[in-house]
Amino acid sequence: MFKRFAWIGAGAAALAPAGSGPALAAQPLPWQISFQPAASPVMEQIQWFHDFLFWIIVAIALFVLALMCYCAVKFNEKSNPTPSPTTHNTTLEVLWTAIPILILVAISVPSFRLLYFMDRTDKPEMTLKAVSHQWYWSYHYPDHGNLNFTSNMIQAEDLKPGQPRLLAVDNEVVLPVETNIRVLTTSEDVIHNWAVPAFGLKVETVPGRTNESWVRITKEGTYYGQCSELCGLNHGFMPIQVRAVSKQAFAQWTEEAKKKFAANLEPESVRVAQAR
Amino acid sequence: MAYGTSDAHGSHDHHPSGWKRWAYSTNHKDIGTMYLVLAAIGGLVGGLMSWLIRLELSQPGLQYITDLQFYNVLVSAHGLIMVFFFVMPALIGGFGNWIVPLMIGAPDMAFPRMNNISFWLTAGGLVLLLTAGFTAGGPGTGWTVYPPLSSNEYHPGPAVDLAILSLHVGGAGSILGAINFIVTIINMRAPGMTMHRMPLFVWATLVTAFLLVLAMPVLAGGLTMLLTDRNFGTTFFKVAGGGDPILWQHLFWFFGHPEVYIMIIPAFGIVSQIVSTFSRKPVFGYLGMAYAMAAIGVIGFVVWAHHMYSVGLDVNTRAYFVAATMVIAVPTGIKIFSWIATMWGGSIRFDTPMLWACGFIFLFVLGGVTGIQLANAGPDMAWHDTYYVVAHFHYVLSLGAVFGIFGGFYYWFGKMCGRQYSEAAGRVHFWLTFFGVNLLFFPQHFLGMAGMPRRIPDYPDAYSGWNMVSSLGAVVTIVGTLWFLWLVFRTFTAGEKAAANPWGPGATTLEWTVPSPAPFHTFEETPRIAPEPAH
């Protein structure tokens, strides 16, 4: 059962980029210079904000460069042997204080809107809990009979064709699309960070705390992320893999997964008692 | 700002010789020189570590560094050494000690013996840190030393304790040095040099010293709590005992953010001196420049949690830190535009120090505008802990502070050693470094955009292209560094005798009125600053 299921998951991940309709495999590509494609409203807005801000900062940098080049050409020793004695110009000084303030205000309005939009969702339809360990993840679905399992990176020698090295895991997180998902994170040992770039998600997992964020995945597909807080030896080797499927497929998956991970379904207290 | 001075260099250079001259030194110039030598050692060791990191990251897979703890130790030690034992000793201990008393017409620092102990504490800190690196696997915690990773459960053995002690000792040295600068600058200015007539490098050192005195004790307190958590059963940062690991992050960044201004503000001061000298114009908007640095220092204390946007802070708290952080862009903008306005209408000579200063201004702008992006807590979730942040802070530090150090070095090297470097060789060094560091760090923006996390020894194969380019950039900086060492060697062995003022009429500060090399004792008779000409 376990083996068969893992193979199907891997097969789906491998097929996804080949073009099965809306499916998307968001992972870094060679020589990529920009964001991974957005798969959530939050990431779409981050991309919008980045594009907006990008042209402002490029304009600022080019403006400074142009001024410096002008100085180098017009005011070098040969072109201008006699330096001007000017050391003050109140108008100019007021302007270069006031204009940056206006630019910053213009930036901060969409920035604050985005910040408050990203913070949490009012109407979560389900919850995913990600718990970090040195050096793997465990995932809990408290709304689906406390379904839970651990997720380890697949070692390079065990990779199947199509599985990206250092990103593919044995048990991926499966989530439904078009669903408001509350994401809770915590840690069992040191601080880690649960991050999926295509979702614009990056949540620190802190022992003793539960952090909340949310995601609404807009496209089916497989998405990858990596631990984003230095957590010791294998920090670079505890990736995150999320497969987003239709709501029906998700319902079906939860039933299969409950059977597959049946051993994990016992209440925590029982397992702890048995372990002793 | 032109100063009329009385003749102030009739010194008879008698001083202790041999090792006693250095070990027991109470002379600001000798101590400055020792700081510069310490910074050179720190810079080479920290640089070597970064080159090992780039070597490992030049291709995917684990090739050269297979011991992952060792990789984390390299990452941690590179950061700590570059911050505490390269940039700070060079800018504050080195140029500060050498130049500040000369610029204000003081015979020495206010507390010469304390100056000595400041230096030796700092040197002891470097020794302790290097010892930590070779003890019990070393501290693989990052320079941020976040618990629980840095706690005794996850880093047993004395490595982290030694690193903590290193920062304690180095921090104590910094605090003493900072007190010395504050007292010297406030009390020992030559008659006529009011606060508002001090050269901007002196202003920069004063602001930096205040930041050190206020920020370092907070780090020391946090480190002590971490030390007792590790060794004496306290639980300040341990959840099991009611503590909170996030408390450490607040304490650390309350120190850590002013720390980045501690590294950059002295470079601001150096760039102001250089731009004014080589444009043959007084600094444009002098008061604005001085108070912009003070403002950056003050605001720098209330923005710390922008390093912690993803730890689970309340959304209103994050909104505050976004607003406060963006405010810093305003005084920074004033500085950038004032430098350009200083150049405007000037008669500019592009000698080596001026090249470094211009490189500084443009590259600091590039690092500054990515800082504006990162200040926004929302979109920062896409960049936090990726190579985008690595690129950003290397643009402001490795290309900002370090360009300031090299600019200051070429500017004052003749004054310090009495021999002038070869102008052509200096320009080659600048262009090699400029090309190398941009090739090294610019592609890291792309890696960060695509999502590559920081501090990983191996990466998904898709990131290999830009990583390879970045490592090629590191090779160019190695060539540049070797060229620089050769240049220094040639200057000592075959450099021309430096004039008292090699830079001409633009160089108006007091250090250019004493001979090169500056005699052991200067300003034994206090110079008098001519009254300010009426506007």
Side-chain angles (χ1 to χ4, degrees), chain A residues 111 116 119 202 209 228, chain B residues 244 316 318 376 384-385 458:
Chain A
S111 173
Y116 281 87
D119 186 43
K202 197 165 276 161
R209 286 188 178 212
S228 294
Chain B
D244 183 0
N316 295 322
R318 277 178 285 158
N376 295 285
H384 178 86
D385 208 72
D458 188 7

Side-chain angles (χ1 to χ4, degrees), chain A residues 28-36 43 46 49-50 53-54 57 60-61 63-65 67-68 70-72 75-77 80-89 92-93 96-97 100-101 104 107-108 111-112 114-116 118-119 134 165-167 188-191 193 197 200-204 206-209 211 226-237, chain B residues 60-62 68-69 72 140-142 146-149 154 239 244-246 249 279-285 310-312 315-316 318-319 322-323 326 329-330 334 336-338 340-341 343-350 358 361-362 365-366 369 372-373 376-379 381-386 446 449-450 453-463 465-466 469:
Chain A
L29 301 171
W31 302 105
Q32 180 174 343
I33 62 169
S34 193
F35 286 133
Q36 296 176 23
M43 193 58 201
I46 290 178
F49 185 87
H50 169 266
L53 190 48
F54 178 75
I57 66 171
I60 293 170
F63 178 59
V64 170
L65 183 63
L67 289 175
M68 292 181 69
Y70 187 81
C71 285
F75 302 119
N76 64 51
E77 208 174 16
N80 189 32
T82 321
S84 116
T86 313
T87 58
H88 294 283
N89 184 328
L92 205 55
E93 290 180 63
W96 72 42
T97 310
I101 292 176
L104 289 173
I107 295 171
S108 65
S111 173
F112 286 134
L114 175 54
L115 175 64
Y116 281 87
M118 287 173 74
D119 186 43
Q134 278 183 325
R165 193 178 69 90
L166 303 185
L167 292 174
E188 194 198 46
D189 38 51
V190 303
I191 300 174
N193 193 314
L201 261 187
K202 197 165 276 161
V203 203
E204 205 100 332
V206 184
R209 286 188 178 212
N211 278 340
Q226 292 175 274
C227 176
S228 294
E229 181 65 64
L230 179 62
C231 59
L233 284 191
N234 291 317
H235 166 51
F237 309 99
Chain B
L62 296 171
L68 298 178
Q69 176 69 11
N72 288 347
T141 58
Y146 282 3
L149 183 60
Y154 301 99
V239 175
D244 183 0
I246 301 301
Q249 298 190 15
S279 306
R280 275 208 279 147
K281 273 181 69 193
V283 172
F284 187 96
S310 77
V311 302
V315 67
N316 295 322
R318 277 178 285 158
V322 171
M326 296 227 279
V330 177
I334 292 175
I336 300 285
F337 291 123
S338 296
I340 294 174
M343 290 162 69
W344 200 274
S347 180
I348 308 170
R349 257 171 63 190
F350 287 96
C358 290
I361 295 171
F362 180 61
V365 167
L366 290 191
V369 291
I372 297 278
Q373 289 183 300
N376 295 285
M381 288 309 97
W383 294 307
H384 178 86
D385 208 72
T386 67
F446 304 148
M449 290 291 287
R454 298 167 63 180
R455 295 164 162 175
I456 52 175
D458 188 7
Y459 45 79
D461 303 339
Y463 296 127
W466 291 122
V469 172

Side-chain angles (χ1 to χ4, degrees), chain A residues 1 147 252-263 265:
Chain A
M1 181 66 200
L147 168 64
Q252 195 184 342
W253 174 82
T254 51
E255 293 314 311
E256 288 173 32
K258 275 180 201 165
K259 287 180 205 140
K260 179 178 160 190
F261 301 113
L265 289 177

